[in-house]
Amino acid sequence: MKNVPGSAAGPAASEQPTERIPSAERREQILRAATAVFGERGYAQATTDRVAQAAGISQPYVVRMFGSKENLFLEVLDRALGRIMESFRAVLADPDDSPVGPRLGRAYVNLIEDRGILLCLLQAFMLGHDETIGRKARQGFLAIYRLLRDDVGLDADDARRFLAEGMLINTLLAVRMTDDYATDVCAQEILESAFSSKLDLVLDVARRDSGADAGRPAASGRA
Amino acid sequence: MKNVPGSAAGPAASEQPTERIPSAERREQILRAATAVFGERGYAQATTDRVAQAAGISQPYVVRMFGSKENLFLEVLDRALGRIMESFRAVLADPDDSPVGPRLGRAYVNLIEDRGILLCLLQAFMLGHDETIGRKARQGFLAIYRLLRDDVGLDADDARRFLAEGMLINTLLAVRMTDDYATDVCAQEILESAFSSKLDLVLDVARRDSGADAGRPAASGRA
DNA sequence: GTCTATACAAAGATAGAC
DNA sequence: GTCTATCTTTGTATAGAC
């Protein structure tokens, strides 16, 4: 039972044999799906087939459009880095007078709404041993560091501390610490400490994403 | 060209068809090899065959001894957590009067000599989506947190900060930031900031491990 | 622009000999 | 205690039709 074009199972006869949409749009759709899948399972455990299912298209088409799984991941990584930098720059541009640190932190956590962005970053960092991906991952890390140093104006210690908190956040998300929020006081404590005002958002998103294991189409609107 | 028992390629006719050693010892040997491989490639990308090569035995034997790859990883994770806790407890037991924080930090970084221990931990954290491994990973994380809170006596904020620095360290190791140490000032700066007095050790270990890609036997002594 | 069919490689696991 | 041979599944990628 793979992804069926216009077969039964559906509540009537409506699903066209996959809409024919412009490749640019399709690209973005696939990237979005791939980000969720790579973020959740990691590069190696993510399959092009799961990405395809999440995007609602066939596996060969995913490969066709991006050339290879590795290439797809590289584009996903690029996109994720872009979102992060963009998000930080938006904070810097905002004429708010409260301290930047916390504002950047909140902006970072807000990115969890964009499913998989943060996790893909961490997944990429885990691939340092890979010739191609590793290099790009290091570049990405350093690009963020430079932004903190040069554009935000943090000193080396503050930049390190900021990144450290970011890595902790990534880790808590990756290990799904929210699963233990309700049953373990320590889990609760560290989550509150790490996310503070953004904890509700994190818990909401975790609830939303759980069950909807990135893989098959996210229950599209039209039923 | 797999791992050959007593074939050619060797500098003479010496290598016995793999020594017959007691299973307890072999177990430890495999766990050590597996820690290096899992740490470097991650759970999914690590193959039982690479572990076997690193341990100098056949692939089926690895599976035979641990039942499955998943089980092997779980034991590796257990062992890694044990080493960390043990190492922290040793610091607490040490009648040194300098502040505990930095001493714990140095003890943590010292663990990189035990190849893969730190990385396996992070790799496990990345597997939160996995029913079995994810649960154990969360437990491990929380066990460390409790040790910091209860045994070390840190408050929630300090414990969080300590863990955050630890996650940054893990990430820097995983992404192999040391590869850029010589060529990128930012890489140099953040490595110095994150590892401070232990940077030399880190660079040494990186040099030692590079090239010796965990996979084939680590150039055993007798040539 | 998108699919079906399929070739091909990799990897985990099992059987059974030594 | 340890290996060789091998089954089986899964997953990437290609060919070619619609």
Side-chain angles (χ1 to χ4, degrees):
Chain A
M1 201 206 299
K2 296 187 158 187
N3 58 324
V4 241
S7 73
S14 55
E15 304 264 37
Q16 301 86 337
T18 307
E19 289 175 82
R20 194 181 172 86
I21 70 181
S23 76
E25 194 175 326
R26 189 62 96 184
R27 260 185 100 75
E28 176 59 20
Q29 190 180 42
I30 298 178
L31 283 174
R32 185 181 290 280
T35 302
V37 177
F38 280 131
E40 180 168 320
R41 335 268 297 191
Y43 179 68
Q45 245 177 357
T47 67
T48 52
D49 189 59
R50 276 189 102 83
V51 172
Q53 285 177 239
I57 58 177
S58 72
Q59 179 268 330
Y61 190 24
V62 171
V63 175
R64 163 75 68 105
M65 181 155 284
F66 290 87
S68 69
K69 177 182 170 180
E70 179 177 59
N71 218 49
L72 172 59
F73 185 77
L74 289 172
E75 297 217 28
V76 162
L77 177 53
D78 254 344
R79 184 166 163 279
L81 281 165
R83 293 293 164 90
I84 290 173
M85 305 290 273
E86 177 187 337
S87 158
F88 283 173
R89 292 219 179 81
V91 168
L92 294 181
D94 186 324
D96 187 324
D97 56 338
S98 65
V100 262
R103 277 162 55 211
L104 285 171
R106 286 192 294 271
Y108 187 71
V109 175
N110 277 337
L111 289 169
I112 59 170
E113 303 220 58
D114 222 328
R115 191 167 181 195
I117 293 275
L118 261 31
L119 289 177
C120 273
L121 204 66
L122 188 46
Q123 297 288 178
F125 294 155
M126 301 305 293
L127 294 172
H129 64 95
D130 181 289
E131 189 74 19
T132 327
I133 302 180
R135 177 162 31 242
K136 198 176 200 80
R138 284 187 289 277
Q139 283 173 0
F141 191 103
L142 292 171
I144 295 176
Y145 186 75
R146 285 197 189 89
L147 183 139
L148 293 172
R149 294 281 277 125
D150 303 341
D151 299 350
V152 182
L154 300 184
D155 65 25
D157 276 347
D158 283 339
R160 189 201 72 234
R161 273 189 282 266
F162 182 85
L163 286 174
E165 300 281 352
M167 293 308 117
L168 175 60
I169 282 173
N170 287 343
T171 306
L172 289 172
L173 292 174
V175 81
R176 303 214 180 170
M177 193 55 80
T178 48
D179 285 8
D180 288 5
Y181 178 77
T183 57
D184 188 302
V185 279
C186 281
Q188 193 185 330
E189 185 177 285
I190 192 161
L191 285 168
E192 282 167 356
S193 181
F195 293 109
S196 52
S197 74
K198 283 294 177 184
L199 180 56
D200 286 340
L201 170 64
V202 173
L203 291 173
D204 274 356
V205 170
R207 211 163 9 241
R208 186 230 295 161
D209 287 355
S210 80
D213 256 332
R216 72 216 90 275
S220 68
R222 50 189 155 94
Chain B
M1 196 208 299
K2 299 187 155 187
N3 58 325
V4 241
S7 74
S14 54
E15 305 264 35
Q16 302 88 334
T18 308
E19 287 176 82
R20 192 183 175 83
I21 70 181
S23 76
E25 196 174 325
R26 190 61 96 182
R27 260 185 98 76
E28 177 60 21
Q29 192 180 41
I30 298 177
L31 282 174
R32 185 182 291 279
T35 301
V37 176
F38 280 130
E40 180 168 319
R41 335 268 297 191
Y43 179 68
Q45 247 178 353
T47 66
T48 52
D49 190 59
R50 276 188 103 85
V51 171
Q53 284 176 240
I57 58 177
S58 72
Q59 179 267 330
Y61 191 23
V62 172
V63 175
R64 164 73 69 104
M65 180 155 285
F66 289 88
S68 70
K69 178 182 171 180
E70 178 178 60
N71 217 49
L72 172 60
F73 185 77
L74 288 171
E75 297 217 28
V76 162
L77 176 53
D78 254 344
R79 183 164 163 280
L81 281 166
R83 292 292 164 90
I84 291 174
M85 305 289 275
E86 179 188 336
S87 159
F88 283 174
R89 294 224 177 78
V91 169
L92 294 181
D94 188 323
D96 187 324
D97 57 339
S98 65
V100 265
R103 277 162 56 211
L104 286 171
R106 287 192 294 271
Y108 187 72
V109 176
N110 277 337
L111 288 170
I112 60 171
E113 304 219 58
D114 221 330
R115 189 165 182 199
I117 293 276
L118 261 31
L119 290 176
C120 273
L121 205 64
L122 188 46
Q123 299 287 180
F125 293 155
M126 302 304 294
L127 294 172
H129 65 95
D130 181 289
E131 189 75 19
T132 326
I133 302 180
R135 176 163 28 240
K136 200 178 198 80
R138 284 187 289 277
Q139 283 173 1
F141 191 103
L142 291 171
I144 295 176
Y145 185 74
R146 288 199 187 88
L147 183 141
L148 293 173
R149 293 283 275 124
D150 303 341
D151 299 350
V152 182
L154 301 184
D155 65 25
D157 276 348
D158 282 339
R160 188 202 72 234
R161 273 189 281 267
F162 182 85
L163 285 174
E165 299 282 352
M167 294 306 118
L168 175 62
I169 282 175
N170 288 343
T171 307
L172 290 172
L173 293 173
V175 82
R176 302 213 181 172
M177 193 55 79
T178 48
D179 285 8
D180 287 6
Y181 179 77
T183 56
D184 187 303
V185 278
C186 281
Q188 192 185 330
E189 185 178 284
I190 192 163
L191 285 169
E192 282 167 355
S193 181
F195 294 109
S196 53
S197 73
K198 284 294 177 182
L199 180 56
D200 286 340
L201 170 64
V202 173
L203 291 172
D204 276 356
V205 171
R207 212 164 8 244
R208 186 230 295 161
D209 286 354
S210 81
D213 255 332
R216 70 215 90 274
S220 66
R222 51 189 155 92

